[in-house]
Amino acid sequence: MNTKKKLPNKQFRKLIEFINLSKEDKSKKIYVDKEPREIDWIAYNLSQINDSKETLMFIKNAVDKCINPPNKVGKPLTNPKSLAKAILICELFGLVERKAQGFLELFGRIVGITEKLDDRTIGEAYQKKEVAFILRQVFEMTKYSDGILCGDGTGLETSRKQNYGINRSSTKEFLTSIVDSREIIQAFDFSGKDECKAMHSLIKEVNGKSLRLDAGFNDRELVRKIVEQGMLPYVYPKKNNILNGSDAWKEMYFEFMIDVIEWLSEYYQRVHCESFHSSFKRVFGIIRKVRGHSKFIQVMARIILHNRARLSYFKKIKG
């Protein structure tokens, strides 16, 4: 029996074509834009004023709570917690290693760094797996989620001359991430994998109610896995899609056909992921490190600092 005849694939494709046309021509838009989230300026100002003080206290307390990595036989390593604190301070204030050495001599004790760390030691800390072990624990402390998730990938510039938006071949550093509606990062991949392949792994690291992805993640197997993780998928369809597939695939796009306005209202919350990527690049600037593991450590440290700032802001709103 030919099941394709039973499914309204022609109508489905026409609807996608119509929606895509409305994206190009705003006069034909079929939905009303949601009002942007109102900024609580009092909470925002307090968050900015107290940012450095709060972040330094966070660095001290969060890193001190971490479990130290297993000891290695041989030459003793400088306390990995001190190295992790030094890296977080470097990324917080945008310090290169030489300036960081002098800064830590004056202010290191505030975060519990008692050793004297020279610029070479700080630079080499970005290569230490023990430091990554500590930072990963800190990241897990800063990823409380509201369950409304969205994902995307973006290129990270390693030079002022690069612009990923203009010349997509100008950078090879690619970040794929899942964030919630408060733009708090729940999982990320910086391995260089294709964004869709990376997403297959990232969805196993998150807990959420729903997940929004653009057409670059239009993959039947990925949709099935999202549902198996207990999340509702909102993956934007391609114009050549058909409804045939797993129950998860069919149900997602039948919902799209039944109430396209409601479906798009949910899907377009994906803007929070794009907003995060824009803010992340603007606040922290280019990736300065050269070696692969150092770049990963730098990105993870920046993500930790971003999450802390967002959590602080929303805590002040509730307060």
Side-chain angles (χ1 to χ4, degrees):
M1 185 180 292
N2 188 354
T3 57
K4 289 186 179 180
K5 292 183 179 179
K6 294 184 177 181
L7 298 173
N9 287 318
K10 286 185 179 180
Q11 296 93 319
F12 177 57
R13 285 182 168 178
K14 284 183 179 180
L15 180 58
I16 297 170
E17 184 180 351
F18 178 71
I19 298 299
N20 287 343
L21 184 63
S22 70
K23 287 170 65 179
E24 296 172 6
D25 185 351
K26 299 302 181 183
S27 66
K28 298 179 181 178
K29 190 163 61 176
I30 63 171
Y31 60 90
V32 178
D33 289 329
K34 286 188 174 180
E35 289 292 325
R37 181 162 51 203
E38 186 176 346
I39 298 174
D40 185 330
W41 287 107
I42 295 175
Y44 177 79
N45 289 336
L46 285 172
S47 180
Q48 293 296 299
I49 290 167
N50 296 318
D51 182 68
S52 295
K53 180 178 69 175
E54 290 181 356
T55 307
L56 289 172
M57 289 301 97
F58 162 79
I59 290 171
K60 181 182 185 303
N61 296 331
V63 174
D64 285 345
K65 289 178 183 177
C66 294
I67 301 169
N68 270 319
N71 291 326
K72 283 187 176 181
V73 177
K75 185 179 178 180
L77 175 73
T78 304
N79 186 347
K81 289 187 177 181
S82 294
L83 296 178
K85 290 173 180 178
I87 286 174
L88 288 167
I89 288 173
C90 286
E91 298 308 320
L92 172 63
F93 295 108
L95 299 172
V96 295
E97 285 78 7
R98 290 187 183 92
K99 290 185 177 181
Q101 178 180 336
F103 185 93
L104 291 173
E105 286 178 8
L106 289 174
F107 301 104
R109 291 187 179 275
I110 294 175
V111 297
I113 298 176
T114 56
E115 305 93 329
K116 184 176 180 180
L117 303 178
D118 60 33
D119 60 325
R120 188 168 184 174
T121 302
I122 296 168
E124 289 177 349
Y126 284 85
Q127 279 292 106
K128 302 295 184 183
K129 293 181 181 179
E130 294 84 358
V131 174
F133 182 84
I134 297 291
L135 291 179
R136 186 72 196 188
Q137 294 176 67
V138 179
F139 170 66
E140 294 297 326
M141 298 177 192
T142 63
K143 52 181 283 188
Y144 305 114
S145 172
D146 64 3
I148 304 171
L149 307 180
C150 46
D152 202 2
T154 189
L156 299 180
E157 292 78 24
T158 57
S159 166
R160 293 291 183 192
K161 295 180 180 179
Q162 292 175 337
N163 187 316
Y164 185 75
I166 296 173
N167 183 0
R168 289 179 179 268
S169 64
S170 66
T171 181
K172 295 181 180 178
E173 302 308 329
F174 204 78
L175 174 68
T176 304
S177 57
I178 297 177
V179 310
D180 70 7
S181 69
R182 300 169 300 168
E183 298 167 26
I184 296 170
I185 302 92
Q186 304 300 311
F188 69 96
D189 181 276
F190 193 63
S191 65
K193 283 195 293 187
D194 171 80
E195 61 180 1
C196 189
K197 290 181 180 178
M199 193 59 66
H200 278 263
S201 302
L202 290 181
I203 59 173
K204 298 175 184 178
E205 300 179 23
V206 299
N207 294 310
K209 304 169 188 173
S210 53
L211 178 61
R212 295 143 190 82
L213 302 168
D214 66 20
F217 300 91
N218 189 269
D219 179 342
R220 283 177 170 79
E221 182 66 13
L222 178 58
V223 169
R224 183 184 64 79
K225 288 181 179 178
I226 292 170
V227 172
E228 288 178 354
Q229 291 294 120
M231 295 181 284
L232 284 174
Y234 294 90
V235 182
Y236 197 84
K238 292 182 178 179
K239 62 182 180 182
N240 62 348
N241 281 153
I242 58 175
L243 292 166
N244 301 74
S246 66
D247 290 342
W249 181 267
K250 289 176 185 174
E251 186 173 346
M252 178 176 68
Y253 286 136
F254 272 129
E255 291 290 334
F256 175 81
M257 292 185 70
I258 291 169
D259 193 342
V260 67
I261 303 297
E262 179 64 27
W263 197 96
L264 289 175
S265 295
E266 283 292 333
Y267 167 75
Y268 278 120
Q269 291 190 65
R270 197 186 67 84
V271 69
H272 293 298
C273 198
E274 295 175 344
S275 178
F276 153 64
H277 286 148
S278 175
S279 171
F280 188 70
K281 295 177 188 180
R282 187 175 64 252
V283 171
F284 293 106
I286 64 173
I287 300 298
R288 301 188 307 271
K289 296 301 175 184
V290 176
R291 291 180 287 186
H293 192 265
S294 295
K295 291 178 182 178
F296 171 75
I297 291 290
Q298 187 169 52
V299 169
M300 181 156 60
R302 292 177 176 187
I303 285 174
I304 289 168
L305 295 170
H306 168 88
N307 277 2
R308 188 221 65 83
R310 297 299 295 173
L311 286 169
S312 173
Y313 168 68
F314 284 102
K315 185 178 179 180
K316 287 181 173 61
I317 289 177
K318 289 182 179 179

